[in-house]
Amino acid sequence: MASSANSNPVPKLYRSVIEDVINEVRELFLDEGVDEQVLMELKTLWENKLMQSKAVEGFHTEEQAALQAAAHQQAQQAQQATQQAQAQQVLLPPQQQVTSWQSTRPTVTSAPQQQVIVQDPKILQHMSATGMSAAATAATLALPTGVSPYHQLITSQGQILQFVRAANGAQYIIQPQQQMVLQQQVLPQMQPGGVQAPVIQQVLAPLQGGHPQQTGVIIQPQQIVLTGNKVQQNAQVMQMPGQPGQVQQIQQQVQQVQQAQGGAAPGPPQQQAKQQPPMMLQVDGAGDTSSEDEDEEEEEYDEDEDEDKDKDGGEDGQVEEEPLNSEDDVSDEEDQELFDTENVVVCQYDKIHRSKNKWKFHLKDGIMNLNGRDYVFSKAIGDAEW
Amino acid sequence: MAYQLYRNTTLGNSLQESLDELIQTQQITPQLALQVLLQFDKAINTALANRVRNRVNFKGSLNTYRFCDNVWTFVLNDVEFREVTDLVKVDKVKIVACDGKSSDYFSHSSLIIRPRLFLTQ
């Protein structure tokens, strides 16, 4: 307990300052006619920046972790959230799709059929809300490959097969049955230029008797790679109705989508290739002045000085070698920590004393940022030789 | 008027950045932001004076010193900051210190390293 009594006073201090400031300016905000919500936004922004800076340890992290845990628990109480959580689980570890699918099977079977249908758009929305980039969601909605995001195939049995297109461009199909046999087909990559080929997985249900309950299991593609703003991977997960006829229909559907995606996939990669050629190689020597001329137009002053210095060094020093080597850096900056922060102490002085070259500092009420972290003191005493 | 010295700290800079964002989106006026910063100055000065109670010692070599407008600015090298609990070593540190005896009537805003736009009114 003694160690916790000496724990860092900085987070508490900062929190108290934030509270004080917010409370004091509330009146100012109201006088100006600014909404209270803006005040809360200010507080949130402030706290977030403090957390992001990592200069303070454990700042609000416990509170926020508790809030997030509570929010998660509330969400999980709804049945919809269970599927969403499974979707998230399936989304996050793409390489573990088989195991995650298997592990999520038992809980999913309890989901009634109707809820599966209704919850698909919500899964989509939830996926988009879980931090998928706006570009990815826009790409999804814009249907770059010409495949609609939400296919519904009504089979002869009256069951509805649903293609769900997630924000990643991966297509998920909700499986209606427990017993599944996974068959995965991985297409070779179309181009090495960073565009991932569509990875299509076929899930074939066993042809045994159908189960009335639908499982809301969602299968993930193995590889999800975002190339720039483009999402080229499409994974298809088929809903399995458990009937042989339906399986065939599903296979046909998959093939159709595969063809559509296969046709679409080479298109964008070719466009990418076309955009690449304009890069030029410089074949002539290193001493060209074309770029320097361009720079000189903007920063004549600096360029002239540098050129003069280089010429002088080249003439006086080694004439044979390039002037670049003649003035090597001698700095020892690499010994410092990786932090770029300049270590700063902001404080007030009680007394500064000097005797010959021996200085003594008596400081108070200071905030220090050392090696990226914040410290405070009420008194600081220091010695230094000049 | 309290020292504006502490605006260039993690706490102060994050507040200024947040206020800048709100000004950008025109949710608050620059005048209001300035008022918030003045309030922050008061709050941080009070908090440091009353709520902090620890001592630090440090030792190093003095590289440069400057005394201007009653503000000392030092740059020290190879400094060890020692508290009861732990030790922090840095290769270089800049210390900016205002007079602790009297509250300022200068704004000292020009002496702060990264001046903000809406301070220059």
Side-chain angles (χ1 to χ4, degrees):
Chain A
M1 295 299 293
S3 62
S4 68
N6 291 335
S7 62
N8 200 3
V10 175
K12 279 189 215 158
L13 177 75
Y14 283 8
R15 245 179 267 178
S16 72
V17 170
I18 292 179
E19 294 296 329
D20 284 348
V21 172
I22 295 294
N23 289 332
E24 291 289 326
V25 302
R26 183 167 283 121
E27 284 188 31
L28 291 173
F29 271 56
L30 293 178
D31 287 345
E32 290 256 336
V34 180
D35 193 28
E36 169 89 9
Q37 194 175 354
V38 180
L39 183 66
M40 286 300 115
E41 192 176 338
L42 171 67
K43 182 176 180 190
T44 309
L45 283 170
W46 195 0
E47 291 171 352
N48 288 344
K49 286 186 201 292
L50 275 173
M51 275 197 309
Q52 284 170 10
S53 76
K54 296 182 193 169
V56 187
E57 299 175 40
F59 184 81
H60 276 183
T61 51
E62 294 179 2
E63 289 181 9
Q64 291 203 355
L67 285 175
Q68 286 178 359
H72 277 309
Q73 286 174 1
Q74 290 177 1
Q76 284 176 1
Q77 287 175 359
Q79 287 181 356
Q80 297 173 357
T82 55
Q83 287 193 353
Q84 290 175 356
Q86 291 163 3
Q88 284 180 353
Q89 292 172 4
V90 183
L91 271 175
L92 291 175
Q95 294 178 356
Q96 300 174 0
Q97 70 177 47
V98 176
T99 57
S100 66
W101 170 79
Q102 289 175 352
S103 64
T104 55
R105 222 199 298 171
T107 58
V108 175
T109 53
S110 62
Q113 177 174 356
Q114 291 177 353
Q115 289 191 357
V116 170
I117 299 169
V118 171
Q119 291 165 5
D120 286 334
K122 294 188 181 174
I123 292 175
L124 257 181
Q125 292 172 3
H126 186 75
M127 287 178 188
S128 61
T130 51
M132 303 290 184
S133 66
T137 53
T140 304
L141 297 174
L143 313 174
T145 61
V147 179
S148 66
Y150 203 90
H151 281 292
Q152 284 193 356
L153 174 67
I154 300 180
T155 66
S156 59
Q157 296 294 325
Q159 292 184 354
I160 299 181
L161 304 178
Q162 295 168 345
F163 291 74
V164 176
R165 195 118 185 267
N168 268 343
Q171 289 186 354
Y172 300 94
I173 299 176
I174 299 183
Q175 297 173 352
Q177 282 199 348
Q178 267 186 344
Q179 298 178 358
M180 308 295 301
V181 173
L182 277 180
Q183 287 187 3
Q184 300 175 358
Q185 292 182 356
V186 179
L187 295 180
Q189 291 189 357
M190 310 293 281
Q191 277 188 4
V195 177
Q196 293 289 335
V199 176
I200 298 178
Q201 299 158 350
Q202 291 183 351
V203 178
L204 300 179
L207 304 183
Q208 299 169 4
H211 292 262
Q213 290 179 347
Q214 279 189 355
T215 66
V217 176
I218 300 175
I219 293 187
Q220 265 190 337
Q222 277 183 341
Q223 298 173 351
I224 297 181
V225 173
L226 294 177
T227 61
N229 291 328
K230 292 192 178 181
V231 180
Q232 286 296 330
Q233 289 184 345
N234 298 308
Q236 297 178 355
V237 177
M238 304 288 299
Q239 262 194 357
M240 302 313 301
Q243 297 291 332
Q246 293 172 355
V247 170
Q248 289 175 1
Q249 288 180 1
I250 293 164
Q251 287 177 348
Q252 288 174 1
Q253 187 80 14
V254 171
Q255 287 171 2
Q256 289 174 2
V257 179
Q258 283 181 6
Q259 288 171 0
Q261 292 176 353
Q270 287 173 1
Q271 291 173 2
Q272 278 186 350
K274 284 178 187 173
Q275 292 172 358
Q276 288 173 357
M279 290 186 52
M280 310 273 289
L281 292 179
Q282 179 173 353
V283 181
D284 56 345
D288 72 333
T289 58
S290 60
S291 59
E292 289 179 6
D293 287 338
E294 290 177 4
D295 290 341
E296 276 180 352
E297 290 176 1
E298 297 172 359
E299 304 177 19
E300 257 188 24
Y301 179 70
D302 294 331
E303 282 296 316
D304 287 340
E305 277 195 356
D306 289 341
E307 283 181 352
D308 289 339
K309 283 181 189 172
D310 285 340
K311 284 176 191 170
D312 289 340
E315 288 171 2
D316 295 340
Q318 306 120 4
V319 181
E320 296 173 352
E321 292 185 10
E322 294 180 2
L324 296 172
N325 293 339
S326 60
E327 356 223 350
D328 292 332
D329 280 332
V330 196
S331 70
D332 290 334
E333 298 301 323
E334 309 308 322
D335 295 338
Q336 287 182 0
E337 306 273 343
L338 289 177
F339 298 99
D340 265 338
T341 57
E342 167 159 337
N343 304 301
V344 178
V345 177
V346 183
C347 58
Q348 302 175 30
Y349 62 87
D350 280 328
K351 193 161 185 62
I352 304 293
H353 174 80
R354 177 196 66 85
S355 216
K356 297 238 169 115
N357 71 334
K358 306 280 188 278
W359 289 72
K360 289 198 194 320
F361 314 94
H362 292 255
L363 309 170
K364 71 174 187 184
D365 297 342
I367 299 179
M368 309 193 284
N369 186 280
L370 305 173
N371 295 332
R373 288 182 37 186
D374 272 7
Y375 305 87
V376 292
F377 62 83
S378 62
K379 264 180 144 24
I381 298 182
D383 287 285
E385 263 188 44
W386 180 75
Chain B
M1 188 163 134
Y3 283 124
Q4 299 186 5
L5 177 70
Y6 300 102
R7 292 192 189 182
N8 187 30
T9 58
T10 312
L11 194 61
N13 281 326
S14 50
L15 176 61
Q16 293 190 82
E17 287 171 14
S18 307
L19 289 169
D20 279 342
E21 286 182 24
L22 292 181
I23 292 177
Q24 287 294 328
T25 60
Q26 297 190 338
Q27 287 171 281
I28 62 174
T29 64
Q31 181 63 26
L32 182 59
L34 185 60
Q35 297 293 324
V36 175
L37 281 175
L38 292 174
Q39 193 59 46
F40 167 76
D41 296 332
K42 280 190 220 165
I44 189 70
N45 273 279
T46 312
L48 282 174
N50 299 335
R51 291 195 210 123
V52 185
R53 283 279 172 264
N54 61 326
R55 275 183 58 147
V56 167
N57 289 318
F58 63 94
K59 187 161 51 178
S61 53
L62 185 63
N63 188 314
T64 62
Y65 55 89
R66 176 186 301 132
F67 184 63
C68 180
D69 288 339
N70 279 322
V71 177
W72 276 103
T73 306
F74 304 104
V75 176
L76 277 72
N77 291 119
D78 301 325
V79 194
E80 284 185 8
F81 288 86
R82 200 176 292 267
E83 206 166 348
V84 179
T85 48
D86 49 15
L87 169 70
V88 180
K89 290 194 195 182
V90 296
D91 287 343
K92 177 183 166 192
V93 65
K94 172 185 278 198
I95 301 181
V96 180
C98 290
D99 194 350
K101 295 190 195 77
S102 64
S103 68
D104 67 326
Y105 45 89
F106 303 114
S107 69
H108 289 282
S109 60
S110 60
L111 297 168
I112 296 185
I113 299 171
R114 287 183 231 127
R116 290 288 164 172
L117 287 176
F118 54 82
L119 282 182
T120 61
Q121 291 188 358

